């Protein structure tokens, strides 16, 4: 943050009592200035800078969330993970950061209305599925009342019948009493749709046909009941397919509405964050001006050192420095090929701005140069080591 680098230049702040800076969270900077305490003035500015840095960090986090959201939108979903993603999105709250609700982000009335409509659709969908369950239950009752259904009503008595290899052959035992209990479960552990029940009913008969010889009575009974069950299932199947199609379309609409709501929330968040960033930049500029206005007059030796520093800048940083001069001197030809810079003609605020910028830019250049030098040194060492190894191998060959 530039404010921190400004405040690091304590020697620039004058000792004469200038106008007080704005109060910051209980600290009376005006009183500190009036008492002539220079250290407290600097501390007041540092306190303001810390607050701005804290706000900048907060906004940076928001910006990262927004960027992540829009980046993920551009990435195509692969077919294998798309259904999982949809399921997760359906379970996810429509908020940002798990704390900001869509109702707060895109209008409470519209979002609440959408949530009510979604709840109504879920109720209608649940009623349709319950009706299918009821029809399936009627069909199942007809099968269980058949004269040959009695062997399949209760779990197989493995120990009593001495069927020691039963669990080796049958991996998932099933019977009608277990299905009935699952259908009547109230704790949410029951069947979610009729296809699940259908699969378990078939499992009863296929288990019996798998374990028992095809000429045995149990095998024949299971095969006969399975055929009857399949006939009845084919009568119900068109309704099941129609319901599944409706559910799929409703899920797609719900997912699309959810995405629209999320986009609206993030768009609103982006607008608010942009406004906050503009406000933060304004406060930072005010702080910078307050600090510069309190800077003492720059000495001739400091101006000379500043000129030397300017000549040491990279072309890119030099252009930035010229732009700083042009900000307070519109007639200054910052974009000209050759510029004649008179230090004595510049205002004190411009000179101190330049000094802070040049110091920061040269420190960064020195850091980058040191890093490159280290890289070059490492590279040279690697080359020397490689040459030494090669020479050693060659000497061994010659000696042998």
């Amino acid at each position: 943050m530039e404010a921190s680098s400004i405040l690091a230049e304590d020697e620039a702040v004058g000792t004469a009592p200038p106008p007080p800076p704005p109060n910051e969270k209980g600290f009376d900077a005006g009183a500190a200035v009036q008492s002539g305490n220079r250290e407290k003035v600097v501390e007041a500015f540092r306190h303001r800078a810390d607050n701005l840095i804290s706000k900048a960090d907060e906004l940076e986090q928001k910006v990262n969330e927004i960027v992540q959201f829009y980046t993920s939108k551009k990435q195509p979903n692969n077919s294998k993970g798309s259904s999982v993603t949809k399921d997760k999105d359906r379970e996810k709250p429509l908020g940002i950061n798990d704390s900001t609700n869509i109702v707060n982000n895109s209008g409470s009335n519209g979002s609440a209305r959408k949530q009510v409509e979604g709840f109504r659709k879920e109720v209608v969908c649940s009623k349709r599925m319950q009706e299918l369950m009821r029809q399936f239950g009627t069909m199942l009752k007809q099968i269980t009342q058949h004269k040959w259904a009695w062997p399949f009503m209760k779990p197989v008595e493995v120990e009593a019948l001495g069927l020691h290899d039963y669990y080796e052959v049958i991996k998932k035992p099933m019977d009608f009493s277990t299905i009935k209990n699952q259908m009547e479960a109230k704790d949410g552990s029951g069947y979610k749709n009729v296809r699940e029940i259908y699969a378990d009913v078939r499992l009863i008969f296929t288990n019996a046909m798998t374990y028992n010889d095809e000429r045995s009575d149990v095998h024949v009974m299971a095969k006969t009941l399975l055929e009857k069950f399949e006939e009845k299932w084919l009568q119900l199947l068109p309704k099941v397919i129609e319901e599944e199609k409706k559910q799929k379309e409703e899920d797609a609409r719900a997912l699309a509405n959810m995405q629209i709501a999320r986009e609206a929330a993030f768009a609103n968040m982006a607008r608010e964050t942009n406004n906050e960033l503009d406000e933060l930049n304004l406060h930072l500029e005010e702080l910078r001006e307050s600090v510069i206005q309190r800077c003492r007059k720059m000495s001739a030796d400091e101006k000379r050192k500043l000129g030397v520093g300017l000549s040491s800048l990279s072309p890119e940083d030099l252009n930035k420095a010229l732009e700083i001069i042009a900000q307070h001197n519109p007639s200054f030809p910052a974009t000209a090929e050759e510029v004649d810079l008179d230090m004595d003609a510049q205002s004190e605020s411009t000179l101190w701005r330049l000094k802070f910028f040049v110091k920061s830019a040269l420190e960064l250049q020195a850091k980058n140069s040191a890093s490159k030098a280290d890289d070059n040194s490492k590279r040279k060492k690697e080359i020397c080591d490689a040459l030494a190894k090669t020479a050693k191998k060659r000497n061994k060959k010659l000696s042998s």
Side-chain angles (χ1 to χ4, degrees):
M1 180 67 70
E2 288 183 66
S4 297
S5 64
I6 289 173
L7 294 177
E9 298 282 343
D10 287 355
E11 74 277 5
V13 180
T15 56
N23 293 339
E24 280 291 335
K25 296 189 177 179
F27 183 79
D28 190 352
V33 173
Q34 289 173 6
S35 67
N37 193 328
R38 177 174 158 298
E39 291 181 0
K40 287 188 177 180
V41 175
V42 173
E43 183 60 31
F45 282 123
R46 184 174 286 110
H47 184 66
R48 290 178 64 191
D50 289 342
N51 287 339
L52 293 176
I53 292 170
S54 177
K55 182 64 177 177
D57 291 341
E58 181 184 325
L59 291 177
E60 183 181 13
Q61 186 177 353
K62 286 186 178 181
V63 169
N64 289 338
E65 288 181 31
I66 295 167
V67 170
Q68 185 178 2
F69 172 75
Y70 285 106
T71 302
S72 64
K73 269 188 63 182
K74 292 179 181 178
Q75 294 174 350
N77 292 328
N78 57 49
S79 57
K80 184 181 274 189
S82 60
S83 61
V84 176
T85 305
K86 288 179 181 178
D87 290 339
K88 286 184 178 178
D89 284 344
R90 209 175 290 127
E91 293 170 4
K92 239 189 242 181
L94 302 181
I96 297 171
N97 254 348
D98 296 331
S99 60
T100 308
N101 193 286
I102 280 291
V103 172
N104 295 330
N105 284 301
S106 58
S108 58
N109 292 335
S111 296
R113 186 162 54 250
K114 286 179 182 178
Q115 289 175 357
V116 170
E117 288 174 0
F119 178 73
R120 284 175 181 168
K121 288 177 181 177
E122 286 182 9
V123 170
V124 171
C125 177
S126 178
K127 285 183 177 179
R128 293 199 309 260
M129 185 54 69
Q130 286 175 5
E131 175 59 23
L132 280 176
M133 292 275 200
R134 187 192 65 77
Q135 294 180 36
F136 191 94
T138 302
M139 182 181 75
L140 197 60
K141 187 176 180 181
Q142 293 171 357
I143 296 296
T144 56
Q145 287 177 345
H146 193 278
K147 62 181 180 179
W148 285 355
W150 62 268
F152 316 110
M153 298 304 294
K154 300 289 183 182
V156 175
E157 297 178 357
V158 176
E159 296 296 331
L161 296 174
L163 308 176
H164 305 300
D165 63 342
Y166 186 80
Y167 294 118
E168 294 177 9
V169 178
I170 304 303
K171 303 303 180 185
K172 184 183 177 183
M174 188 55 60
D175 63 278
F176 283 118
S177 66
T178 301
I179 290 175
K180 183 174 181 292
N181 292 335
Q182 280 282 88
M183 290 180 70
E184 294 174 353
K186 304 295 184 183
D187 60 355
S189 62
Y191 295 112
K192 301 298 186 292
N193 55 66
V194 291
R195 283 194 185 272
E196 291 181 355
I197 317 175
Y198 164 75
D200 277 354
V201 173
R202 287 194 83 258
L203 188 61
I204 294 174
F205 302 131
T206 55
N207 280 349
M209 293 165 66
T210 299
Y211 189 77
N212 296 279
D213 186 84
E214 62 181 12
R215 290 171 295 182
S216 68
D217 291 343
V218 173
H219 187 105
V220 173
M221 293 162 75
K223 184 177 181 181
T224 302
L225 289 178
L226 178 58
E227 290 173 354
K228 290 183 177 293
F229 172 68
E230 292 287 9
E231 288 176 6
K232 293 182 180 298
W233 169 252
L234 287 175
Q235 295 174 8
L236 184 63
L237 187 57
K239 293 181 180 179
V240 175
I241 294 173
E242 183 183 359
E243 174 57 26
E244 288 173 342
K245 184 180 178 182
K246 286 181 179 178
Q247 284 191 11
K248 190 174 181 180
E249 291 173 351
E250 288 171 2
D251 285 349
R253 282 196 295 270
L255 194 62
N257 290 336
M258 180 189 297
Q259 185 65 17
I260 290 170
R262 285 173 64 82
E263 288 179 11
F266 274 98
N268 188 55
M269 183 183 180
R271 285 193 296 271
E272 290 179 354
T273 303
N274 186 60
N275 293 336
E276 289 181 88
L277 284 170
D278 289 341
E279 186 178 354
L280 180 66
N281 286 332
L282 182 62
H283 288 315
L284 181 59
E285 185 61 31
E286 289 174 355
L287 176 61
R288 188 184 292 111
E289 285 298 327
S290 297
V291 173
I292 289 174
Q293 286 173 11
R294 287 161 178 76
C295 290
R296 60 173 172 75
K297 189 173 181 180
M298 190 175 287
S299 66
D301 186 53
E302 286 175 317
K303 291 178 183 178
R304 181 186 61 78
K305 289 180 179 178
L306 178 57
V308 173
L310 284 168
S311 64
S312 303
L313 292 177
S314 66
E316 183 181 356
D317 286 334
L318 184 58
N319 287 334
K320 291 180 181 178
L322 296 178
E323 287 174 6
I324 291 174
I325 299 171
Q327 285 177 2
H328 293 274
N329 186 1
S331 61
F332 181 75
T335 57
E337 291 186 6
E338 291 187 7
V339 176
D340 185 15
L341 180 59
D342 184 1
M343 289 293 185
D344 294 328
Q346 308 306 317
S347 66
E348 290 299 324
S349 63
T350 299
L351 291 173
W352 282 109
R353 279 175 179 272
L354 283 173
K355 181 176 180 179
F356 298 147
F357 173 77
V358 169
K359 180 183 178 184
S360 177
L362 291 178
E363 285 176 352
L364 185 60
Q365 282 182 201
K367 185 177 179 181
N368 292 338
S369 298
S371 177
K372 288 181 181 178
D374 288 342
D375 291 341
N376 291 335
S377 177
K378 288 179 182 178
R379 182 60 182 158
K380 285 179 181 178
K381 187 177 184 303
E382 289 174 359
I383 293 171
C384 290
D385 290 343
L387 290 172
K389 286 180 181 179
T390 304
K392 192 174 181 181
K393 288 179 181 179
R394 189 183 295 112
N395 291 335
K396 281 185 179 180
K397 287 181 180 180
L398 292 173
S399 61
S400 62

